[in-house]
CSV table of all heavy atoms in Angstrom, one decimal:
chain,number,residue,atom,x,y,z
A,1,SER,N,-31.0,-82.5,-14.9
A,1,SER,CA,-29.7,-83.1,-14.9
A,1,SER,C,-29.7,-84.5,-15.5
A,1,SER,O,-30.7,-85.2,-15.4
A,1,SER,CB,-29.1,-83.1,-13.4
A,1,SER,OG,-29.6,-84.2,-12.7
A,2,SER,N,-28.6,-84.9,-16.1
A,2,SER,CA,-28.6,-86.2,-16.8
A,2,SER,C,-28.3,-87.3,-15.7
A,2,SER,O,-27.7,-87.1,-14.7
A,2,SER,CB,-27.5,-86.2,-17.9
A,2,SER,OG,-26.3,-85.9,-17.3
A,3,PRO,N,-28.6,-88.5,-16.1
A,3,PRO,CA,-28.4,-89.6,-15.2
A,3,PRO,C,-26.9,-89.9,-15.1
A,3,PRO,O,-26.1,-89.5,-16.0
A,3,PRO,CB,-29.1,-90.8,-15.8
A,3,PRO,CG,-29.2,-90.5,-17.2
A,3,PRO,CD,-29.3,-89.0,-17.3
A,4,PRO,N,-26.4,-90.5,-14.0
A,4,PRO,CA,-25.0,-90.7,-13.8
A,4,PRO,C,-24.5,-91.7,-14.9
A,4,PRO,O,-25.2,-92.5,-15.4
A,4,PRO,CB,-24.8,-91.3,-12.4
A,4,PRO,CG,-26.2,-91.5,-11.9
A,4,PRO,CD,-27.2,-90.9,-12.8
A,5,ALA,N,-23.2,-91.5,-15.3
A,5,ALA,CA,-22.6,-92.4,-16.3
A,5,ALA,C,-22.3,-93.7,-15.7
A,5,ALA,O,-22.1,-93.9,-14.5
A,5,ALA,CB,-21.3,-91.7,-16.8
A,6,GLY,N,-22.3,-94.7,-16.6
A,6,GLY,CA,-21.8,-96.1,-16.2
A,6,GLY,C,-22.8,-96.8,-15.4
A,6,GLY,O,-24.0,-96.4,-15.2
A,7,PHE,N,-22.3,-97.9,-14.8
A,7,PHE,CA,-23.1,-98.8,-14.0
A,7,PHE,C,-22.6,-98.8,-12.5
A,7,PHE,O,-21.4,-98.9,-12.3
A,7,PHE,CB,-23.1,-100.2,-14.5
A,7,PHE,CG,-23.7,-100.4,-15.8
A,7,PHE,CD1,-23.0,-100.4,-17.0
A,7,PHE,CD2,-25.1,-100.5,-15.9
A,7,PHE,CE1,-23.6,-100.5,-18.2
A,7,PHE,CE2,-25.7,-100.6,-17.2
A,7,PHE,CZ,-24.9,-100.6,-18.3
A,8,LEU,N,-23.5,-98.6,-11.6
A,8,LEU,CA,-23.2,-98.6,-10.2
A,8,LEU,C,-22.7,-100.0,-9.8
A,8,LEU,O,-23.4,-101.0,-10.0
A,8,LEU,CB,-24.4,-98.2,-9.3
A,8,LEU,CG,-24.2,-98.2,-7.8
A,8,LEU,CD1,-23.2,-97.1,-7.4
A,8,LEU,CD2,-25.5,-98.0,-7.1
A,9,ILE,N,-21.6,-100.1,-9.1
A,9,ILE,CA,-21.1,-101.3,-8.5
A,9,ILE,C,-21.6,-101.4,-7.1
A,9,ILE,O,-21.3,-100.6,-6.2
A,9,ILE,CB,-19.5,-101.3,-8.5
A,9,ILE,CG1,-19.0,-101.2,-9.9
A,9,ILE,CG2,-19.0,-102.5,-7.8
A,9,ILE,CD1,-17.5,-101.0,-10.1
A,10,GLU,N,-22.5,-102.4,-6.9
A,10,GLU,CA,-23.2,-102.5,-5.7
A,10,GLU,C,-22.5,-103.4,-4.7
A,10,GLU,O,-22.6,-103.2,-3.5
A,10,GLU,CB,-24.6,-103.1,-5.9
A,10,GLU,CG,-25.5,-102.1,-6.7
A,10,GLU,CD,-26.9,-102.7,-7.0
A,10,GLU,OE1,-27.2,-103.8,-6.5
A,10,GLU,OE2,-27.7,-102.0,-7.6
A,11,ASP,N,-21.7,-104.3,-5.2
A,11,ASP,CA,-21.0,-105.3,-4.3
A,11,ASP,C,-19.7,-105.7,-4.9
A,11,ASP,O,-19.6,-105.8,-6.1
A,11,ASP,CB,-21.9,-106.5,-4.1
A,11,ASP,CG,-21.4,-107.4,-3.0
A,11,ASP,OD1,-20.8,-106.9,-2.0
A,11,ASP,OD2,-21.6,-108.6,-3.1
A,12,VAL,N,-18.7,-105.9,-4.1
A,12,VAL,CA,-17.4,-106.5,-4.6
A,12,VAL,C,-17.1,-107.7,-3.7
A,12,VAL,O,-17.1,-107.6,-2.5
A,12,VAL,CB,-16.3,-105.4,-4.5
A,12,VAL,CG1,-15.0,-106.0,-4.9
A,12,VAL,CG2,-16.6,-104.2,-5.3
A,13,VAL,N,-16.9,-108.8,-4.3
A,13,VAL,CA,-16.7,-110.0,-3.6
A,13,VAL,C,-15.2,-110.0,-3.1
A,13,VAL,O,-14.3,-109.7,-3.8
A,13,VAL,CB,-16.9,-111.3,-4.5
A,13,VAL,CG1,-16.5,-112.6,-3.8
A,13,VAL,CG2,-18.3,-111.3,-5.0
A,14,GLU,N,-15.1,-110.3,-1.8
A,14,GLU,CA,-13.7,-110.3,-1.2
A,14,GLU,C,-12.9,-111.3,-1.9
A,14,GLU,O,-13.3,-112.5,-2.2
A,14,GLU,CB,-13.9,-110.7,0.3
A,14,GLU,CG,-12.5,-110.6,1.0
A,14,GLU,CD,-12.7,-110.8,2.5
A,14,GLU,OE1,-13.8,-110.6,3.1
A,14,GLU,OE2,-11.7,-111.1,3.1
A,15,GLY,N,-11.7,-110.9,-2.3
A,15,GLY,CA,-10.7,-111.7,-3.0
A,15,GLY,C,-10.9,-111.8,-4.5
A,15,GLY,O,-10.1,-112.4,-5.2
A,16,SER,N,-11.9,-111.1,-5.0
A,16,SER,CA,-12.2,-111.1,-6.4
A,16,SER,C,-11.2,-110.2,-7.1
A,16,SER,O,-10.4,-109.5,-6.5
A,16,SER,CB,-13.6,-110.6,-6.7
A,16,SER,OG,-13.7,-109.3,-6.4
A,17,ARG,N,-11.2,-110.3,-8.5
A,17,ARG,CA,-10.3,-109.4,-9.3
A,17,ARG,C,-10.6,-108.0,-9.0
A,17,ARG,O,-9.7,-107.1,-8.8
A,17,ARG,CB,-10.5,-109.7,-10.7
A,17,ARG,CG,-10.1,-111.1,-11.1
A,17,ARG,CD,-10.1,-111.4,-12.6
A,17,ARG,NE,-11.3,-111.0,-13.3
A,17,ARG,CZ,-11.4,-110.8,-14.6
A,17,ARG,NH1,-10.3,-111.1,-15.4
A,17,ARG,NH2,-12.5,-110.4,-15.2
A,18,ALA,N,-11.9,-107.6,-8.9
A,18,ALA,CA,-12.2,-106.2,-8.6
A,18,ALA,C,-11.7,-105.8,-7.2
A,18,ALA,O,-11.2,-104.7,-7.0
A,18,ALA,CB,-13.8,-106.0,-8.7
A,19,ASP,N,-11.9,-106.7,-6.2
A,19,ASP,CA,-11.4,-106.4,-4.9
A,19,ASP,C,-9.9,-106.2,-4.9
A,19,ASP,O,-9.3,-105.2,-4.3
A,19,ASP,CB,-11.7,-107.6,-3.9
A,19,ASP,CG,-11.3,-107.3,-2.5
A,19,ASP,OD1,-11.5,-106.2,-2.0
A,19,ASP,OD2,-10.8,-108.3,-1.9
A,20,GLN,N,-9.1,-107.0,-5.6
A,20,GLN,CA,-7.7,-106.9,-5.7
A,20,GLN,C,-7.3,-105.6,-6.4
A,20,GLN,O,-6.2,-105.1,-6.1
A,20,GLN,CB,-7.1,-108.1,-6.4
A,20,GLN,CG,-7.2,-109.4,-5.6
A,20,GLN,CD,-6.9,-110.6,-6.4
A,20,GLN,OE1,-6.4,-110.5,-7.5
A,20,GLN,NE2,-7.1,-111.8,-5.8
A,21,ALA,N,-8.1,-105.1,-7.3
A,21,ALA,CA,-7.9,-103.8,-8.0
A,21,ALA,C,-8.4,-102.6,-7.2
A,21,ALA,O,-8.3,-101.5,-7.7
A,21,ALA,CB,-8.5,-103.9,-9.4
A,22,MET,N,-8.8,-102.9,-5.9
A,22,MET,CA,-9.3,-101.8,-5.0
A,22,MET,C,-10.6,-101.1,-5.5
A,22,MET,O,-10.8,-99.9,-5.2
A,22,MET,CB,-8.2,-100.9,-4.7
A,22,MET,CG,-7.0,-101.6,-4.0
A,22,MET,SD,-5.5,-100.6,-3.8
A,22,MET,CE,-6.2,-99.4,-2.6
A,23,ILE,N,-11.4,-101.8,-6.3
A,23,ILE,CA,-12.7,-101.3,-6.7
A,23,ILE,C,-13.6,-101.5,-5.5
A,23,ILE,O,-13.6,-102.5,-4.8
A,23,ILE,CB,-13.2,-102.0,-7.9
A,23,ILE,CG1,-12.3,-101.6,-9.1
A,23,ILE,CG2,-14.6,-101.6,-8.2
A,23,ILE,CD1,-12.5,-102.4,-10.4
A,24,GLU,N,-14.5,-100.5,-5.2
A,24,GLU,CA,-15.3,-100.6,-4.0
A,24,GLU,C,-16.8,-100.4,-4.4
A,24,GLU,O,-17.1,-99.8,-5.4
A,24,GLU,CB,-15.0,-99.4,-3.1
A,24,GLU,CG,-13.5,-99.4,-2.6
A,24,GLU,CD,-13.2,-98.2,-1.8
A,24,GLU,OE1,-14.0,-97.3,-1.6
A,24,GLU,OE2,-12.1,-98.2,-1.3
A,25,PRO,N,-17.7,-101.0,-3.6
A,25,PRO,CA,-19.1,-100.7,-3.8
A,25,PRO,C,-19.4,-99.2,-3.8
A,25,PRO,O,-18.7,-98.4,-3.0
A,25,PRO,CB,-19.8,-101.3,-2.5
A,25,PRO,CG,-18.8,-102.4,-2.1
A,25,PRO,CD,-17.5,-101.8,-2.4
A,26,GLY,N,-20.2,-98.7,-4.7
A,26,GLY,CA,-20.5,-97.3,-4.8
A,26,GLY,C,-19.7,-96.7,-6.0
A,26,GLY,O,-20.1,-95.6,-6.5
A,27,ASP,N,-18.6,-97.4,-6.5
A,27,ASP,CA,-17.9,-96.9,-7.6
A,27,ASP,C,-18.8,-97.1,-8.8
A,27,ASP,O,-19.8,-97.9,-8.8
A,27,ASP,CB,-16.6,-97.7,-7.9
A,27,ASP,CG,-15.6,-97.4,-6.8
A,27,ASP,OD1,-15.7,-96.5,-6.1
A,27,ASP,OD2,-14.6,-98.2,-6.8
A,28,ARG,N,-18.5,-96.5,-9.9
A,28,ARG,CA,-19.3,-96.6,-11.2
A,28,ARG,C,-18.4,-97.2,-12.3
A,28,ARG,O,-17.3,-96.6,-12.5
A,28,ARG,CB,-19.9,-95.3,-11.6
A,28,ARG,CG,-20.9,-94.8,-10.6
A,28,ARG,CD,-21.8,-93.7,-11.1
A,28,ARG,NE,-22.8,-94.2,-12.0
A,28,ARG,CZ,-24.0,-94.7,-11.6
A,28,ARG,NH1,-24.2,-94.8,-10.3
A,28,ARG,NH2,-24.8,-95.2,-12.5
A,29,LEU,N,-18.8,-98.2,-12.9
A,29,LEU,CA,-18.1,-98.8,-14.0
A,29,LEU,C,-18.4,-98.1,-15.3
A,29,LEU,O,-19.5,-98.0,-15.7
A,29,LEU,CB,-18.5,-100.3,-14.2
A,29,LEU,CG,-17.8,-101.1,-15.3
A,29,LEU,CD1,-16.3,-101.2,-15.1
A,29,LEU,CD2,-18.5,-102.4,-15.4
A,30,LEU,N,-17.3,-97.4,-15.9
A,30,LEU,CA,-17.5,-96.6,-17.1
A,30,LEU,C,-17.1,-97.3,-18.3
A,30,LEU,O,-17.8,-97.2,-19.4
A,30,LEU,CB,-16.7,-95.3,-16.9
A,30,LEU,CG,-17.0,-94.5,-15.7
A,30,LEU,CD1,-16.1,-93.2,-15.7
A,30,LEU,CD2,-18.5,-94.0,-15.7
A,31,MET,N,-16.0,-98.0,-18.3
A,31,MET,CA,-15.5,-98.7,-19.6
A,31,MET,C,-14.9,-100.0,-19.2
A,31,MET,O,-14.3,-100.2,-18.2
A,31,MET,CB,-14.5,-97.8,-20.2
A,31,MET,CG,-15.1,-96.4,-20.6
A,31,MET,SD,-13.9,-95.5,-21.7
A,31,MET,CE,-14.4,-96.2,-23.3
A,32,ILE,N,-15.0,-100.9,-20.2
A,32,ILE,CA,-14.4,-102.2,-20.1
A,32,ILE,C,-13.7,-102.4,-21.4
A,32,ILE,O,-14.3,-102.4,-22.5
A,32,ILE,CB,-15.4,-103.4,-20.0
A,32,ILE,CG1,-16.3,-103.2,-18.7
A,32,ILE,CG2,-14.8,-104.7,-20.0
A,32,ILE,CD1,-17.4,-104.1,-18.6
A,33,ALA,N,-12.4,-102.6,-21.4
A,33,ALA,CA,-11.5,-102.9,-22.5
A,33,ALA,C,-11.7,-101.8,-23.6
A,33,ALA,O,-11.8,-102.0,-24.8
A,33,ALA,CB,-11.8,-104.2,-23.1
A,34,GLY,N,-11.8,-100.5,-23.1
A,34,GLY,CA,-11.9,-99.4,-24.0
A,34,GLY,C,-13.3,-99.1,-24.6
A,34,GLY,O,-13.4,-98.2,-25.4
A,35,LYS,N,-14.3,-99.8,-24.1
A,35,LYS,CA,-15.6,-99.6,-24.6
A,35,LYS,C,-16.6,-99.4,-23.5
A,35,LYS,O,-16.4,-100.0,-22.4
A,35,LYS,CB,-16.1,-100.8,-25.5
A,35,LYS,CG,-15.2,-101.0,-26.7
A,35,LYS,CD,-15.7,-102.2,-27.5
A,35,LYS,CE,-14.8,-102.4,-28.7
A,35,LYS,NZ,-15.2,-103.6,-29.4
A,36,ARG,N,-17.6,-98.7,-23.7
A,36,ARG,CA,-18.7,-98.5,-22.7
A,36,ARG,C,-19.5,-99.8,-22.7
A,36,ARG,O,-19.9,-100.2,-23.8
A,36,ARG,CB,-19.6,-97.3,-23.0
A,36,ARG,CG,-18.9,-96.0,-22.9
A,36,ARG,CD,-19.7,-94.9,-23.3
A,36,ARG,NE,-18.9,-93.7,-23.4
A,36,ARG,CZ,-19.1,-92.6,-22.6
A,36,ARG,NH1,-20.1,-92.5,-21.8
A,36,ARG,NH2,-18.3,-91.6,-22.8
A,37,PRO,N,-19.8,-100.4,-21.6
A,37,PRO,CA,-20.7,-101.6,-21.6
A,37,PRO,C,-22.1,-101.2,-22.1
A,37,PRO,O,-22.6,-100.2,-21.7
A,37,PRO,CB,-20.7,-102.0,-20.1
A,37,PRO,CG,-20.1,-100.9,-19.3
A,37,PRO,CD,-19.3,-100.0,-20.3
A,38,ARG,N,-22.6,-102.0,-23.0
A,38,ARG,CA,-24.0,-101.8,-23.5
A,38,ARG,C,-25.0,-101.9,-22.4
A,38,ARG,O,-26.0,-101.1,-22.5
A,38,ARG,CB,-24.3,-102.8,-24.6
A,38,ARG,CG,-23.5,-102.6,-25.9
A,38,ARG,CD,-23.7,-103.8,-26.8
A,38,ARG,NE,-23.2,-104.9,-26.0
A,38,ARG,CZ,-23.4,-106.2,-26.2
A,38,ARG,NH1,-24.2,-106.6,-27.2
A,38,ARG,NH2,-22.8,-107.1,-25.5
A,39,ASN,N,-24.9,-102.8,-21.5
A,39,ASN,CA,-25.8,-103.0,-20.5
A,39,ASN,C,-25.2,-103.7,-19.3
A,39,ASN,O,-24.0,-104.2,-19.4
A,39,ASN,CB,-27.1,-103.8,-21.0
A,39,ASN,CG,-26.7,-105.0,-21.7
A,39,ASN,OD1,-25.9,-105.8,-21.2
A,39,ASN,ND2,-27.3,-105.3,-22.9
A,40,LEU,N,-25.9,-103.9,-18.3
A,40,LEU,CA,-25.4,-104.6,-17.1
A,40,LEU,C,-25.0,-106.0,-17.3
A,40,LEU,O,-24.0,-106.5,-16.8
A,40,LEU,CB,-26.3,-104.4,-15.9
A,40,LEU,CG,-25.8,-104.8,-14.5
A,40,LEU,CD1,-24.6,-104.1,-14.2
A,40,LEU,CD2,-26.9,-104.5,-13.5
A,41,ALA,N,-25.8,-106.7,-18.1
A,41,ALA,CA,-25.6,-108.1,-18.5
A,41,ALA,C,-24.2,-108.2,-19.2
A,41,ALA,O,-23.4,-109.2,-18.9
A,41,ALA,CB,-26.7,-108.7,-19.3
A,42,ALA,N,-23.9,-107.3,-20.1
A,42,ALA,CA,-22.6,-107.4,-20.8
A,42,ALA,C,-21.5,-107.1,-19.9
A,42,ALA,O,-20.4,-107.8,-20.0
A,42,ALA,CB,-22.6,-106.3,-21.9
A,43,ALA,N,-21.6,-106.2,-18.9
A,43,ALA,CA,-20.6,-106.0,-17.9
A,43,ALA,C,-20.4,-107.2,-17.1
A,43,ALA,O,-19.2,-107.6,-16.8
A,43,ALA,CB,-21.0,-104.8,-17.1
A,44,ARG,N,-21.4,-107.8,-16.6
A,44,ARG,CA,-21.3,-109.0,-15.8
A,44,ARG,C,-20.6,-110.2,-16.5
A,44,ARG,O,-19.9,-111.0,-16.0
A,44,ARG,CB,-22.7,-109.5,-15.3
A,44,ARG,CG,-23.2,-108.6,-14.2
A,44,ARG,CD,-24.5,-109.1,-13.6
A,44,ARG,NE,-24.9,-108.3,-12.5
A,44,ARG,CZ,-26.2,-108.0,-12.2
A,44,ARG,NH1,-27.1,-108.5,-13.0
A,44,ARG,NH2,-26.5,-107.3,-11.2
A,45,ALA,N,-20.9,-110.3,-17.8
A,45,ALA,CA,-20.3,-111.4,-18.6
A,45,ALA,C,-18.8,-111.2,-18.7
A,45,ALA,O,-18.1,-112.2,-18.6
A,45,ALA,CB,-20.9,-111.4,-20.1
A,46,VAL,N,-18.3,-110.0,-18.7
A,46,VAL,CA,-16.9,-109.8,-18.8
A,46,VAL,C,-16.2,-109.9,-17.4
A,46,VAL,O,-15.1,-110.3,-17.2
A,46,VAL,CB,-16.6,-108.4,-19.4
A,46,VAL,CG1,-15.1,-108.1,-19.3
A,46,VAL,CG2,-17.0,-108.4,-20.9
A,47,LEU,N,-16.9,-109.4,-16.4
A,47,LEU,CA,-16.4,-109.3,-15.0
A,47,LEU,C,-16.8,-110.3,-14.0
A,47,LEU,O,-16.3,-110.4,-12.9
A,47,LEU,CB,-16.7,-107.9,-14.5
A,47,LEU,CG,-16.3,-106.7,-15.3
A,47,LEU,CD1,-16.8,-105.4,-14.7
A,47,LEU,CD2,-14.8,-106.7,-15.5
A,48,GLY,N,-17.8,-111.2,-14.4
A,48,GLY,CA,-18.3,-112.1,-13.5
A,48,GLY,C,-17.4,-113.2,-13.0
A,48,GLY,O,-16.2,-113.3,-13.5
A,49,LYS,N,-17.9,-114.1,-12.2
A,49,LYS,CA,-17.1,-115.2,-11.6
A,49,LYS,C,-16.3,-116.0,-12.6
A,49,LYS,O,-15.2,-116.4,-12.4
A,49,LYS,CB,-17.9,-116.1,-10.7
A,49,LYS,CG,-18.3,-115.4,-9.4
A,49,LYS,CD,-19.1,-116.5,-8.6
A,49,LYS,CE,-19.5,-115.9,-7.2
A,49,LYS,NZ,-20.2,-116.8,-6.4
A,50,GLY,N,-17.0,-116.3,-13.7
A,50,GLY,CA,-16.4,-117.2,-14.7
A,50,GLY,C,-15.4,-116.5,-15.6
A,50,GLY,O,-14.7,-117.2,-16.4
A,51,ALA,N,-15.3,-115.2,-15.6
A,51,ALA,CA,-14.4,-114.4,-16.4
A,51,ALA,C,-13.0,-114.6,-16.0
A,51,ALA,O,-12.7,-114.2,-14.8
A,51,ALA,CB,-14.9,-113.0,-16.5
A,52,LEU,N,-12.1,-115.1,-16.8
A,52,LEU,CA,-10.7,-115.2,-16.5
A,52,LEU,C,-9.8,-114.4,-17.3
A,52,LEU,O,-8.6,-114.3,-16.9
A,52,LEU,CB,-10.4,-116.7,-16.6
A,52,LEU,CG,-11.2,-117.7,-15.7
A,52,LEU,CD1,-10.8,-119.1,-16.0
A,52,LEU,CD2,-11.0,-117.4,-14.3
A,53,GLU,N,-10.2,-113.9,-18.4
A,53,GLU,CA,-9.4,-113.1,-19.2
A,53,GLU,C,-9.0,-111.7,-18.5
A,53,GLU,O,-9.9,-111.1,-18.0
A,53,GLU,CB,-10.0,-112.8,-20.6
A,53,GLU,CG,-10.2,-114.0,-21.5
A,53,GLU,CD,-8.9,-114.5,-21.9
A,53,GLU,OE1,-8.0,-113.8,-22.3
A,53,GLU,OE2,-8.7,-115.8,-21.9
A,54,PRO,N,-7.7,-111.3,-18.6
A,54,PRO,CA,-7.4,-110.0,-18.0
A,54,PRO,C,-8.1,-108.9,-18.8
A,54,PRO,O,-8.3,-109.0,-20.0
A,54,PRO,CB,-5.9,-109.9,-18.2
A,54,PRO,CG,-5.4,-111.3,-18.4
A,54,PRO,CD,-6.6,-112.1,-19.0
A,55,VAL,N,-8.5,-107.9,-18.1
A,55,VAL,CA,-9.3,-106.8,-18.8
A,55,VAL,C,-9.0,-105.5,-18.0
A,55,VAL,O,-8.8,-105.5,-16.8
A,55,VAL,CB,-10.8,-107.1,-18.8
A,55,VAL,CG1,-11.4,-107.2,-17.4
A,55,VAL,CG2,-11.5,-106.1,-19.7
A,56,TYR,N,-8.9,-104.4,-18.8
A,56,TYR,CA,-8.7,-103.1,-18.3
A,56,TYR,C,-10.1,-102.4,-18.1
A,56,TYR,O,-10.8,-102.3,-19.1
A,56,TYR,CB,-7.8,-102.3,-19.2
A,56,TYR,CG,-7.4,-100.9,-18.6
A,56,TYR,CD1,-6.4,-100.8,-17.6
A,56,TYR,CD2,-8.0,-99.8,-19.1
A,56,TYR,CE1,-6.1,-99.6,-17.1
A,56,TYR,CE2,-7.7,-98.5,-18.6
A,56,TYR,CZ,-6.7,-98.4,-17.6
A,56,TYR,OH,-6.4,-97.2,-17.1
A,57,VAL,N,-10.3,-101.8,-17.0
A,57,VAL,CA,-11.6,-101.1,-16.8
A,57,VAL,C,-11.3,-99.7,-16.3
A,57,VAL,O,-10.3,-99.4,-15.7
A,57,VAL,CB,-12.5,-101.9,-15.7
A,57,VAL,CG1,-12.9,-103.3,-16.2
A,57,VAL,CG2,-11.8,-101.9,-14.4
A,58,VAL,N,-12.3,-98.8,-16.6
A,58,VAL,CA,-12.3,-97.5,-16.0
A,58,VAL,C,-13.4,-97.3,-15.1
A,58,VAL,O,-14.6,-97.7,-15.4
A,58,VAL,CB,-12.3,-96.4,-17.2
A,58,VAL,CG1,-12.4,-95.0,-16.6
A,58,VAL,CG2,-11.1,-96.6,-18.1
A,59,VAL,N,-13.1,-96.8,-13.9
A,59,VAL,CA,-14.1,-96.7,-12.8
A,59,VAL,C,-14.1,-95.2,-12.3
A,59,VAL,O,-13.1,-94.6,-12.4
A,59,VAL,CB,-13.7,-97.6,-11.7
A,59,VAL,CG1,-14.6,-97.5,-10.5
A,59,VAL,CG2,-13.7,-99.1,-12.2
A,60,GLN,N,-15.3,-94.8,-11.9
A,60,GLN,CA,-15.4,-93.5,-11.3
A,60,GLN,C,-15.8,-93.6,-9.8
A,60,GLN,O,-16.7,-94.4,-9.5
A,60,GLN,CB,-16.4,-92.6,-12.0
A,60,GLN,CG,-16.5,-91.2,-11.5
A,60,GLN,CD,-17.3,-90.3,-12.3
A,60,GLN,OE1,-17.5,-90.6,-13.5
A,60,GLN,NE2,-17.9,-89.3,-11.8
A,61,ARG,N,-15.0,-92.9,-9.0
A,61,ARG,CA,-15.3,-92.8,-7.5
A,61,ARG,C,-15.5,-91.4,-7.2
A,61,ARG,O,-14.5,-90.6,-7.2
A,61,ARG,CB,-14.2,-93.5,-6.7
A,61,ARG,CG,-14.5,-93.5,-5.2
A,61,ARG,CD,-13.4,-94.2,-4.5
A,61,ARG,NE,-13.3,-95.6,-4.9
A,61,ARG,CZ,-12.2,-96.3,-4.8
A,61,ARG,NH1,-11.1,-95.8,-4.4
A,61,ARG,NH2,-12.2,-97.6,-5.3
A,62,GLY,N,-16.7,-90.9,-6.9
A,62,GLY,CA,-16.9,-89.5,-6.7
A,62,GLY,C,-16.6,-88.8,-8.0
A,62,GLY,O,-17.1,-89.1,-9.0
A,63,GLN,N,-15.7,-87.8,-7.9
A,63,GLN,CA,-15.4,-87.0,-9.1
A,63,GLN,C,-14.1,-87.5,-9.7
A,63,GLN,O,-13.7,-87.0,-10.8
A,63,GLN,CB,-15.1,-85.5,-8.7
A,63,GLN,CG,-16.4,-84.9,-8.1
A,63,GLN,CD,-17.5,-84.9,-9.1
A,63,GLN,OE1,-17.3,-84.6,-10.3
A,63,GLN,NE2,-18.7,-85.3,-8.7
A,64,ARG,N,-13.5,-88.6,-9.2
A,64,ARG,CA,-12.2,-89.1,-9.7
A,64,ARG,C,-12.4,-90.3,-10.5
A,64,ARG,O,-13.2,-91.2,-10.1
A,64,ARG,CB,-11.3,-89.5,-8.5
A,64,ARG,CG,-10.0,-90.0,-8.8
A,64,ARG,CD,-9.1,-90.2,-7.6
A,64,ARG,NE,-8.1,-91.1,-7.9
A,64,ARG,CZ,-7.9,-92.3,-7.5
A,64,ARG,NH1,-8.8,-92.9,-6.7
A,64,ARG,NH2,-6.9,-93.1,-7.9
A,65,ARG,N,-11.8,-90.4,-11.7
A,65,ARG,CA,-11.8,-91.6,-12.5
A,65,ARG,C,-10.4,-92.2,-12.5
A,65,ARG,O,-9.4,-91.5,-12.5
A,65,ARG,CB,-12.1,-91.2,-14.0
A,65,ARG,CG,-13.5,-90.7,-14.1
A,65,ARG,CD,-13.8,-90.4,-15.5
A,65,ARG,NE,-15.2,-89.9,-15.6
A,65,ARG,CZ,-15.9,-89.8,-16.7
A,65,ARG,NH1,-15.3,-90.1,-17.9
A,65,ARG,NH2,-17.1,-89.4,-16.7
A,66,PHE,N,-10.4,-93.5,-12.5
A,66,PHE,CA,-9.2,-94.2,-12.6
A,66,PHE,C,-9.3,-95.5,-13.3
A,66,PHE,O,-10.4,-96.1,-13.5
A,66,PHE,CB,-8.6,-94.5,-11.2
A,66,PHE,CG,-9.5,-95.4,-10.3
A,66,PHE,CD1,-9.2,-96.7,-10.2
A,66,PHE,CD2,-10.5,-94.9,-9.6
A,66,PHE,CE1,-10.0,-97.6,-9.4
A,66,PHE,CE2,-11.3,-95.7,-8.8
A,66,PHE,CZ,-11.0,-97.0,-8.7
A,67,GLY,N,-8.2,-96.1,-13.8
A,67,GLY,CA,-8.2,-97.3,-14.5
A,67,GLY,C,-7.6,-98.4,-13.6
A,67,GLY,O,-6.8,-98.2,-12.7
A,68,ALA,N,-8.1,-99.6,-13.9
A,68,ALA,CA,-7.6,-100.8,-13.1
A,68,ALA,C,-7.5,-102.0,-14.1
A,68,ALA,O,-8.4,-102.2,-14.9
A,68,ALA,CB,-8.5,-101.1,-12.0
A,69,TYR,N,-6.4,-102.7,-14.0
A,69,TYR,CA,-6.2,-103.9,-14.8
A,69,TYR,C,-6.7,-105.1,-14.0
A,69,TYR,O,-6.0,-105.4,-13.0
A,69,TYR,CB,-4.8,-104.0,-15.2
A,69,TYR,CG,-4.5,-105.0,-16.3
A,69,TYR,CD1,-5.0,-104.8,-17.6
A,69,TYR,CD2,-3.7,-106.1,-16.1
A,69,TYR,CE1,-4.8,-105.8,-18.6
A,69,TYR,CE2,-3.4,-107.0,-17.1
A,69,TYR,CZ,-4.0,-106.8,-18.3
A,69,TYR,OH,-3.7,-107.8,-19.3
A,70,LEU,N,-7.7,-105.8,-14.4
A,70,LEU,CA,-8.2,-106.9,-13.6
A,70,LEU,C,-7.6,-108.2,-14.2
A,70,LEU,O,-7.7,-108.5,-15.3
A,70,LEU,CB,-9.7,-107.0,-13.7
A,70,LEU,CG,-10.5,-105.8,-13.3
A,70,LEU,CD1,-12.0,-106.1,-13.3
A,70,LEU,CD2,-10.1,-105.3,-11.9
A,71,ARG,N,-6.9,-108.9,-13.3
A,71,ARG,CA,-6.2,-110.1,-13.7
A,71,ARG,C,-6.9,-111.3,-13.2
A,71,ARG,O,-7.3,-111.4,-12.2
A,71,ARG,CB,-4.7,-110.1,-13.2
A,71,ARG,CG,-4.0,-108.9,-13.8
A,71,ARG,CD,-2.6,-108.9,-13.2
A,71,ARG,NE,-2.0,-107.6,-13.5
A,71,ARG,CZ,-0.9,-107.5,-14.2
A,71,ARG,NH1,-0.3,-108.6,-14.7
A,71,ARG,NH2,-0.4,-106.4,-14.5
């Protein structure tokens, strides 16, 4: 079997943009702004504490995929 897609979200900071978008630990980050993140460092650069630009992400929870707009 192939490895799971995307990057595992291990933690979501309370009150963060991800928390407000209802992203949860255990979800998998599949896309950021229409592109697959190259690596975890690239994902953190866009989504980390200092990131203020709004961005649309696609996340997978179990078998369900959904999009969230992080503001």
Side-chain angles (χ1 to χ4, degrees):
S1 82
S2 61
F7 293 99
L8 178 67
I9 297 170
E10 295 179 359
D11 189 32
V12 176
V13 176
E14 187 174 337
S16 68
R17 300 186 310 164
D19 183 42
Q20 293 171 8
M22 300 174 66
I23 294 172
E24 301 176 356
D27 291 347
R28 297 195 74 82
L29 177 64
L30 303 178
M31 299 189 86
I32 301 171
K35 298 179 182 176
R36 293 176 192 240
R38 289 171 295 164
N39 54 47
L40 191 53
R44 285 184 177 147
V46 174
L47 303 176
K49 285 185 178 181
L52 299 175
E53 291 295 316
V55 65
Y56 186 79
V57 297
V58 176
V59 174
Q60 183 168 336
R61 180 176 300 151
Q63 298 300 314
R64 182 175 161 250
R65 291 182 180 194
F66 64 95
Y69 192 66
L70 305 184
R71 298 175 191 245

